Amino acid sequence: MAVTDATILERLNKLSITHPEVITHSPVKGSSEWLSELSIKSPNLSSTSLTKTLLFKPKTAKTSIPTPVLILAKDSTETSSNLLGKLLNLKELRLSSEDLIKSVFPSSNSKDDVSVLALPFPKDENIYLILDKSLANSEDQFALHLTSSSTTILLKGLDIKTYLESLIQGEGDKQIVKLVDFDELKANAPTAPPAGAKPAPKEKKAEAKPAVAQEEDEKYNMAIKYKKDEDFPGWYTDVLIKGQMLDYYDISGCYILRPWSYSIWQTIQTWFDDEIKKLGVQDCYFPMFVSNARLEKEKDHIEGFAPEVAWVTRAGKSELEEPIAIRPTSETVMYPYYAKWINSHRDLPLKLNQWNSVVRWEFKNPQPFLRTREFLWQEGHTAFLHKAEAAKEVMDILDLYRKVYTDLLAVPVVPGKKSENEKFAGGDYTTTVEGFIPTTGRGIQGATSHHLGQNFSKMFDISVESPNRGEDRIHAYQNSWGLSTRSLGVMVMVHGDDQGLVLPPRVALQQVVVVPVGLSKGEGKNQPIYDACSELERTLLAGGIRAKADLREGYTPGWKFNDWEMRGVPLRLELGPRDIAAKSTLAVRRYDNHKSSIPLSDIANTVRTYLEEIQASMFKKAQEKFDSCLIPVTKWDDVVPTLDAKNILVLPWCEGNQCEDDIKERSKSQANKGETEDNKAPSAGAKSLCIPFDQERFGKFPEGENQKCIQCGEKAKSWTMFGRSELYLPPLATSKSTDILNHFIGY
Amino acid sequence: MAVTDATILERLNKLSITHPEVITHSPVKGSSEWLSELSIKSPNLSSTSLTKTLLFKPKTAKTSIPTPVLILAKDSTETSSNLLGKLLNLKELRLSSEDLIKSVFPSSNSKDDVSVLALPFPKDENIYLILDKSLANSEDQFALHLTSSSTTILLKGLDIKTYLESLIQGEGDKQIVKLVDFDELKANAPTAPPAGAKPAPKEKKAEAKPAVAQEEDEKYNMAIKYKKDEDFPGWYTDVLIKGQMLDYYDISGCYILRPWSYSIWQTIQTWFDDEIKKLGVQDCYFPMFVSNARLEKEKDHIEGFAPEVAWVTRAGKSELEEPIAIRPTSETVMYPYYAKWINSHRDLPLKLNQWNSVVRWEFKNPQPFLRTREFLWQEGHTAFLHKAEAAKEVMDILDLYRKVYTDLLAVPVVPGKKSENEKFAGGDYTTTVEGFIPTTGRGIQGATSHHLGQNFSKMFDISVESPNRGEDRIHAYQNSWGLSTRSLGVMVMVHGDDQGLVLPPRVALQQVVVVPVGLSKGEGKNQPIYDACSELERTLLAGGIRAKADLREGYTPGWKFNDWEMRGVPLRLELGPRDIAAKSTLAVRRYDNHKSSIPLSDIANTVRTYLEEIQASMFKKAQEKFDSCLIPVTKWDDVVPTLDAKNILVLPWCEGNQCEDDIKERSKSQANKGETEDNKAPSAGAKSLCIPFDQERFGKFPEGENQKCIQCGEKAKSWTMFGRSELYLPPLATSKSTDILNHFIGY
């Protein structure tokens, strides 16, 4: 008998298991989509509540029938198939084929629909049913599908266990529900986990507590549930959502930029736009649509990004005669008009920029700010008569990008040039500002400024008559450069901590929060304190400081502290009766929790100075961390251990293409040699990040006989930064690509 | 034998008619698409070069076979079928059916493919072939299709005539090529043209001149080719393109906003954004995509805008499981999250705004700024606990919209309330700022600010617990309000003149141009003049004035004057040897061409004051014009004549829905009663524009017995503005619509 949703609900009913109403939604693939679908109807649900169901098959002799291993675990639990196999004494557990899934779950259509709830009963086959201990013993509710990925039911961990045991118990030795503590399993594992492996999040003690005071409970729910060092992806998402930077949206890969993040983008926009206008760049707006013909005109380039292009094929009920693309980038949109507008050397230079959104329908796992299907950016496209002018602008723009990171976001970056492998293949050379995420030890490209040479101008015939008679027509020298909202993600990753966001004062929408403290019970008694807070707010606002007094009633000071800490407000000023009497306020810095009492006289100037100090200190702290992780390495044996210790390598390198590939392969294979676990996330090899313009910061370059490329032994040309790249995510783009898009992907 | 492209080219060859290479492109419908397709490959082609081919059938006795009338004319020529019928002594010429087209042009697939070039030969049927005289006698090149609308050939007018005569000549009385001067035809017409009929553009004398000095020629090509009063649509497009406000794009209905226009939008953005932030509004960014489910959730609303929604159905080569819409507006995108975020009265008010682009795939004739398939706007969406707060904000925002028009764009508007018929049906009431285009006598909606009441909050369940215990949950009171790039189009239409754009100083990207005059021949001689111009530029820039010295070589001062006049720069400063000697400069105001010499000492302050005066005078001039066209009318007999004289009516009105419909119908039928011509563009009826908040400006409201609605005679409630609306275009939206979109359409 096929298992239906009704069957499952009836079973639950028989076992007296209660649950909230079943949620129906669009079919989902993966936890991100699932959470997004659930986010509206169960706003309190976090990713900790998701579960995963995995079906493994052990390797057996061909003649024998393998006993499948079915795992239900919290989505965040690291379920090492390797260690589990050892525990069960089974060889080489592998994710099962669709065929096996069908045989175990006759009612499922695909692996996305698999749910332990839908196990047939009575079962006529053996099965190992493994239950994540941290889930099975929990009073918390977890999300599971019924018979398809478009339905979700919330059940307590204990109830899930009860349900499964009712299906399986007593049916022979191998058909039991086995609880496995995956954390323990890992801790007792004989070999060390490979570098970069994601540790499972620790259980919070509070989670098991049956009863806490209401405020404490609310406070807990509000707090960041993951430690940055323990579960970086979980921490990142949690911080962004609870810090109100963004919200998930019901279309996978799209996110809502709330004012808390959008205002930072606006600050960057305003600053950068002013600066480029000083350079003579003008803003414009080209349409978001590109015709098929235009996009396909450059056949060499279309291939690279074609898989990510979103196509409009219908308007209302009318099929369009030709599908129309949404721009993934604007070369083919803009350059034909450059050819039209540029007819004389008097029309040069042409320097245009636009602030817009672009769409790349990536099928990889989306990540807020870092990989989103629609994102905001600026793209500058300039054309010059002389190469030297173009070359100068490339560097001018790069320096502006550096300042966006260092001066606004307080994030250190290293300006440099990309290797031949890593440059935008459509251009002559690429410059970049490279950032660093200490938690993962990974490099991240901050923004890029390219010199395109005459490659595009020849392709699109952007040319003018030479000002000198008798000479041939001159094709323009072009640059393109871009910076995206990815920068906000980098800022969060660099500065955030276990309490939440930490925002640099210069970009924070709210720089100061004033919180009334020392309140008494009884109506009207606190009015003098509230008045003092309002007065302080007014004084600060008048002094040009973005301040706000939090006079919300019904929340304790502690709750408010936590709230504003989570949101990263750089400075908290506490005002209570004693402070008022002493004509001072207690100032608490977000980034290091330093407390000091400061006088209320001349408070605006004091706070302004204080904020500048915070900005400088945050940058200094991040810069020191980055510096300490930039490790010059001249012996190959040190390469992988240095990477494993979450550093960026600085290598003497010959700058050869082949040699870069070799370094990547060699570091990758060595890093993974000792690996015994988690073959889903092998350690990445080291790729070149950039050749820093400032070579001297790394000390004396090896000379004479010692001036050897670390890989090939030929003469080294420069100190070059190599590292694992792109955070905990799969790489954003293949490194050696020739498509038009990749030079932008890192913006 | 079917006529093919090859047949035509061979015929041309036999007649020794030379021509440039045939242009192939996407199939086009209508001249706008055609011009857009051609714009890349023949950048110098203007809309004057387009032709139209029309096939008419006269009314005849049923038994006789009608002789078709085929017309080839310049696209801009007004070809009155009525007058032509009289000339040919044929009754009631009507555009022919597809059947007749097939019989005359066996090789055409549709009316869009029809081309006189594809006439079969020898013809075995009678036909009148009418050739526009102004085309047939011209040396200029004109664009025609070959056998389909996806090919274009450029031929001289004289050659077209030769070609057609070779096909037709001598084949009987009725089969001749007849040249018709449509202008003359019209001038000699016995009856006056109906009000609102579009006069044909006058031929420019220069067009016939065979040889002019090169500079004169270039100057002519650069000048605006249409008179504002004679061919308003042609003038508008020409001014926008030659003024470098925008360029056509190869997707119909999409336009490129060049820096000259985008900078004005940025000025509006900056000003308005500052102002709404003072009101506590925060900016954010929601995704451009909406899921099908979300969009269709509100079935009552989807119907209205469904026909205009663009759908993404494919990413790369993968069909999406569900098509995804591009937002036409953001209610269904945003309000579900309002419901999620607003849980307590402490979460109110919520005031969000976004600057974004929206897409409405209209199939009507697109118009730059006024009706485009993608356009830029801001949309504000706010939610309040109390109705009174919301009501206040509606008016605060409306006043900001007024200031955008009056203070930035120097365009007068009348703030008022929309009638019940014209309000956004999804809300409680709509306020508006109504503008006026004197050239057409039409009203135009400038921007709208709506109070939505609780209609949406109930639909989306945006509610909070009452702060007072025991009371029911309170649904939020919501507003929405928006302003789009349409405002730029209104500004151009109000201020522009026959020389081109006229920009108000506050929004002009360039406020002042400094032009060197009195130049001598001989190298180096003019350097002192150039230096003085640069010096003046520097002084003005240092004084915060957006000035530029035009030191381009190879252009005469006259050419430069014309260039900057066309682009609308508010003030020209001429500097020559005599000015330098006199320590003065000749200042020429763009808007009225007033010239005066002003001293160079303290020039920045003088110019700053001067620019403010220009801004004020431009507004005053436009305001006076608007005022003089706001005509209080209390007798019905005056209604249509007042409309026909390009005025806005101010009527005593009962504010009844039915009565509004009656006024519209009655004014329409009366206006068209006397019409004898051009049944393609019947005069529109008068619809209500708004009930102005300032009633007293129209003088004493009729009292006692006289206080009667002009239409129904019941008691009148207010002076209400009625007029023909929406310029020369078909109405942007049906007036009495209930869809979610129409309240935005007028933004």
Side-chain angles (χ1 to χ4, degrees), chain A residues 413-632:
Chain A
V413 287
V414 175
K417 194 173 159 179
K418 284 283 182 189
S419 70
E420 281 298 302
N421 269 2
E422 295 288 334
K423 79 169 187 186
F424 166 44
D428 275 10
Y429 59 87
T430 292
T431 68
T432 176
V433 289
E434 291 288 320
F436 175 64
I437 310 297
T439 315
T440 58
R442 303 281 171 121
I444 184 162
Q445 188 172 294
T448 44
S449 175
H450 314 283
H451 178 53
L452 307 177
Q454 297 175 307
N455 304 327
F456 281 88
S457 62
K458 284 179 179 166
M459 207 181 288
F460 287 88
D461 193 22
I462 303 168
S463 65
V464 299
E465 274 185 44
S466 170
N468 306 320
R469 290 192 181 210
E471 286 182 8
D472 287 343
R473 287 184 75 79
I474 297 172
H475 285 91
Y477 292 87
Q478 291 183 271
N479 296 335
S480 72
W481 29 272
L483 170 80
S484 80
T485 38
R486 158 185 277 207
S487 51
L488 306 191
V490 177
M491 179 200 70
V492 170
M493 289 179 164
V494 166
H495 296 303
D497 64 20
D498 289 348
Q499 278 68 55
L501 293 171
V502 181
L503 298 179
R506 278 196 206 145
V507 297
L509 177 58
Q510 189 180 326
Q511 298 172 311
V512 175
V513 61
V514 179
V515 180
V517 298
L519 303 175
S520 336
K521 287 187 179 171
E523 214 160 293
K525 279 196 175 171
N526 296 315
Q527 200 54 47
I529 305 177
Y530 288 154
D531 289 347
C533 288
S534 298
E535 172 64 24
L536 181 51
E537 179 193 77
R538 272 194 301 277
T539 308
L540 294 172
L541 286 172
I545 293 156
R546 299 187 290 274
K548 188 184 162 89
D550 182 356
L551 304 182
R552 287 178 291 176
E553 294 192 24
Y555 297 111
T556 64
W559 189 94
K560 291 178 181 175
F561 294 172
N562 178 69
D563 191 31
W564 294 110
E565 278 173 7
M566 206 155 57
R567 302 192 66 188
V569 170
L571 189 64
R572 178 173 82 229
L573 297 180
E574 301 176 13
L575 255 191
R578 268 185 256 168
D579 306 288
I580 295 170
K583 292 184 181 167
S584 67
T585 174
L586 187 71
V588 186
R589 295 199 297 234
R590 172 65 184 88
Y591 91 98
D592 65 352
N593 208 34
H594 173 86
K595 297 184 172 90
S596 62
S597 183
I598 56 178
L600 284 173
S601 64
D602 202 26
I603 185 74
N605 282 328
T606 312
V607 165
R608 197 177 305 111
T609 310
Y610 211 55
L611 291 173
E612 277 305 311
E613 283 169 13
I614 291 172
Q615 178 87 25
S617 302
M618 284 178 67
F619 176 67
K620 186 160 173 275
K621 183 181 168 187
Q623 180 75 62
E624 283 168 2
K625 179 66 190 168
F626 194 176
D627 285 347
S628 74
C629 294
L630 278 170
I631 313 289

Side-chain angles (χ1 to χ4, degrees), chain A residues 6 95 117 128 227 262 267 306 383 391 398 461 582 605 629 632 654 683 705 708 735:
Chain A
L95 276 174
L117 300 179
Y128 286 104
K227 300 281 182 203
Y262 191 77
T267 301
L398 192 74
D461 193 22
N605 282 328
C629 294
C654 68
S683 294
E705 276 208 353
K708 282 181 184 168
S735 59

Side-chain angles (χ1 to χ4, degrees), chain B residues 177-194:
Chain B
V177 179
K178 186 171 176 68
L179 300 191
V180 172
D181 184 333
F182 287 95
D183 277 3
E184 198 182 289
L185 194 64
K186 189 172 160 192
N188 297 335
T191 52

Side-chain angles (χ1 to χ4, degrees), chain A residues 247 249-250 257 259 266 277 283 285 288-289 291 306 309 311 313-314 316 337 340-341 346 374 553 555, chain B residues 247 249-250 257 266 277 283 285 288-289 291 306 309 311 313-314 316 337 340-341 346 374 553 555:
Chain A
D247 212 330
Y249 189 65
D250 76 330
L257 299 191
Q266 280 187 315
K277 279 179 178 162
D283 287 332
Y285 188 79
M288 60 178 278
F289 296 114
S291 67
V309 170
W311 292 94
T313 64
R314 191 150 57 83
Y337 295 90
K340 181 181 173 188
W341 297 332
R346 297 187 196 96
E374 180 191 8
E553 294 192 24
Y555 297 111
Chain B
D247 211 333
Y249 189 66
D250 76 330
L257 298 191
Q266 280 187 316
K277 278 179 177 159
D283 287 334
Y285 188 79
M288 59 179 277
F289 296 114
S291 67
V309 170
W311 292 95
T313 64
R314 189 150 58 83
Y337 295 91
K340 181 182 172 188
W341 296 333
R346 297 187 197 95
E374 180 191 8
E553 295 191 23
Y555 298 111

Side-chain angles (χ1 to χ4, degrees), chain A residues 283-441:
Chain A
D283 287 332
C284 63
Y285 188 79
F286 277 74
M288 60 178 278
F289 296 114
V290 201
S291 67
N292 197 359
R294 200 46 72 74
L295 200 64
E296 290 194 344
K297 195 177 178 183
E298 306 311 319
K299 290 205 188 295
D300 292 346
H301 292 274
I302 178 78
E303 278 183 31
F305 60 95
E308 293 174 357
V309 170
W311 292 94
V312 175
T313 64
R314 191 150 57 83
K317 289 185 175 172
S318 315
E319 293 295 323
L320 299 184
E321 285 184 24
E322 287 255 341
I324 291 172
I326 303 177
R327 62 180 161 215
T329 177
S330 301
E331 278 78 2
T332 55
V333 173
M334 293 170 89
Y335 293 169
Y337 295 90
Y338 279 47
K340 181 181 173 188
W341 297 332
I342 297 171
N343 296 304
S344 149
H345 64 91
R346 297 187 196 96
D347 300 324
L348 291 174
L350 180 64
K351 306 182 189 181
L352 297 182
N353 175 66
Q354 61 181 359
W355 297 94
N356 54 338
S357 83
V358 288
V359 171
R360 296 173 191 175
W361 208 265
E362 295 199 63
F363 291 93
K364 292 177 205 156
N365 194 23
Q367 289 293 334
F369 293 123
L370 302 188
R371 189 191 293 123
T372 62
R373 284 176 169 173
E374 180 191 8
F375 61 87
L376 303 179
W377 75 351
Q378 61 68 220
E379 48 179 325
H381 297 268
T382 53
F384 299 86
L385 186 62
H386 302 294
K387 186 178 171 66
E389 299 170 274
K392 179 176 184 310
E393 191 207 54
V394 166
M395 294 304 290
D396 288 344
I397 295 293
L398 192 74
D399 203 47
L400 295 180
Y401 287 154
R402 178 186 66 75
K403 286 180 178 164
V404 166
Y405 276 96
T406 60
D407 297 4
L408 298 180
L409 303 175
V411 168
V413 287
V414 175
K417 194 173 159 179
K418 284 283 182 189
S419 70
E420 281 298 302
N421 269 2
E422 295 288 334
K423 79 169 187 186
F424 166 44
D428 275 10
Y429 59 87
T430 292
T431 68
T432 176
V433 289
E434 291 288 320
F436 175 64
I437 310 297
T439 315
T440 58

